[in-house]
Amino acid sequence: MGTALQRISTLLSKGNGKLRSTDWWAVSIELVVVVVGILIAFELTNWGERRQRASQERQLWQRIEEEARGDYAVLEAARNQHLESVANYRLLARAVTDPVAHKAYHRQGDSQCNLLRLPAVQRHSAGAGGLAAGERAEQISDEKLRLLLRQADANRAFSDSQLVFFREGFQRYAAVIEPHMPWQMGGGGADTFRCGVNVDTLRADPAAVALLPKLARDQAQFAHYRELELNATRAVIERVSCLRAGSCKD
């Protein structure tokens, strides 16, 4: 036992000697260099990832802006068609009782096939869910843009659901109105295609005449829904544009 303890004591004494002879300042410097190197490597990796994410986000902004501008153009055309139909229905309702309006309708309405028309919108968005489809919204760091995208998609979903409702009504109304809509195709092809309403036969159909104000209101209501979509889409375009230009003030 005594021999073993002596051996252990001798080893510890030698170890203490080695510890005392170690250049701890040099060791500390080496440790600092290693740690700093690790931190720099870590920061460079993070910087590279941040730069890559920023580049991807800029590309995403560009795609969203292109899609939103495409949607805006189509929505605007659809809105204008609704408003055109509103004016045509109102003019037609007056034409039933007013000879002057009757003549005005034939100058305007016979060349415009916008009766019983409920234009759909061919979306330009890449995803079926709208401008913020899929995981794209999660890739956007700007909170305001994410909110605007969600609002635009909410307006889109509501408007599309109403389109289904209105279309079902229009299909029922078609059976009443279409008998008074002569369609003509001249020998010159599509350029001579004409459609309108025979006001004389319409005047003799009280059920059809009674539908005209409702059709005008429905078209006006849907023009309003499209206007809400336009406003929401415009807000997205403006936000993306200022983000890309670096001119956003909030």
Side-chain angles (χ1 to χ4, degrees), residues 10-21:
T10 301
L11 291 173
L12 289 175
S13 298
K14 291 180 179 180
N16 288 334
K18 291 182 179 180
L19 289 174
R20 284 192 296 271
S21 64

Side-chain angles (χ1 to χ4, degrees), residues 136-234:
R136 299 202 306 175
E138 301 303 322
Q139 301 173 21
I140 298 172
S141 60
D142 186 70
E143 183 177 354
K144 185 172 182 178
L145 177 57
R146 291 200 304 269
L147 176 61
L148 291 173
L149 287 169
R150 288 194 293 269
Q151 289 175 340
D153 286 347
N155 282 334
R156 166 195 176 129
F158 175 77
S159 185
D160 286 349
S161 68
Q162 294 302 303
L163 176 65
V164 174
F165 170 76
F166 279 112
R167 183 177 288 116
E168 291 174 352
F170 269 60
Q171 290 173 347
R172 293 194 299 270
Y173 305 150
V176 180
I177 298 294
E178 281 189 345
H180 307 293
M181 297 175 63
W183 296 64
Q184 300 175 1
M185 180 71 75
D191 292 339
T192 59
F193 174 79
R194 294 168 64 85
C195 65
V197 172
N198 187 326
V199 179
D200 294 325
T201 64
L202 177 66
R203 184 182 296 114
D205 187 345
V209 172
L211 274 177
L212 298 177
K214 174 174 176 50
L215 291 171
R217 289 193 300 270
D218 286 352
Q219 289 278 12
Q221 184 63 46
F222 213 79
H224 172 67
Y225 295 150
R226 293 305 188 195
E227 189 67 34
L228 294 177
E229 286 189 84
L230 281 169
N231 292 339
T233 304
R234 185 187 303 112

Side-chain angles (χ1 to χ4, degrees), residues 8-196:
I8 293 173
S9 176
T10 301
L11 291 173
L12 289 175
S13 298
K14 291 180 179 180
N16 288 334
K18 291 182 179 180
L19 289 174
R20 284 192 296 271
S21 64
T22 300
D23 187 351
W24 289 108
W25 177 249
V27 171
S28 299
I29 292 176
E30 290 179 3
L31 286 174
V32 169
V33 169
V34 171
V35 170
V36 170
I38 292 173
L39 292 175
I40 291 174
F42 182 73
E43 184 59 30
L44 285 174
T45 300
N46 288 342
W47 175 80
E49 292 176 352
R50 289 195 299 270
R51 185 177 180 183
Q52 183 179 10
R53 286 196 299 269
S55 175
Q56 292 172 345
E57 185 172 10
R58 286 193 295 270
Q59 294 175 5
L60 180 56
W61 289 345
Q62 180 178 354
R63 290 198 300 272
I64 289 175
E65 183 175 3
E66 291 171 353
E67 293 167 11
R69 290 188 183 280
D71 273 3
Y72 189 91
V74 178
L75 283 166
E76 189 173 38
R79 188 274 314 274
N80 292 342
Q81 288 178 1
H82 290 303
L83 294 176
E84 181 185 30
S85 290
V86 171
N88 211 7
Y89 277 121
R90 289 174 176 169
L91 178 59
L92 186 57
R94 295 197 305 272
V96 172
T97 57
D98 183 353
V100 175
H102 188 160
K103 293 180 180 179
Y105 173 77
H106 279 299
R107 287 196 301 270
Q108 174 180 327
D110 279 358
S111 62
Q112 300 180 14
C113 302
N114 65 345
L115 291 169
L116 292 179
R117 178 178 61 184
L118 194 62
V121 174
Q122 182 63 42
R123 304 290 181 174
H124 289 200
S125 301
L131 293 173
E135 299 178 352
R136 299 202 306 175
E138 301 303 322
Q139 301 173 21
I140 298 172
S141 60
D142 186 70
E143 183 177 354
K144 185 172 182 178
L145 177 57
R146 291 200 304 269
L147 176 61
L148 291 173
L149 287 169
R150 288 194 293 269
Q151 289 175 340
D153 286 347
N155 282 334
R156 166 195 176 129
F158 175 77
S159 185
D160 286 349
S161 68
Q162 294 302 303
L163 176 65
V164 174
F165 170 76
F166 279 112
R167 183 177 288 116
E168 291 174 352
F170 269 60
Q171 290 173 347
R172 293 194 299 270
Y173 305 150
V176 180
I177 298 294
E178 281 189 345
H180 307 293
M181 297 175 63
W183 296 64
Q184 300 175 1
M185 180 71 75
D191 292 339
T192 59
F193 174 79
R194 294 168 64 85
C195 65

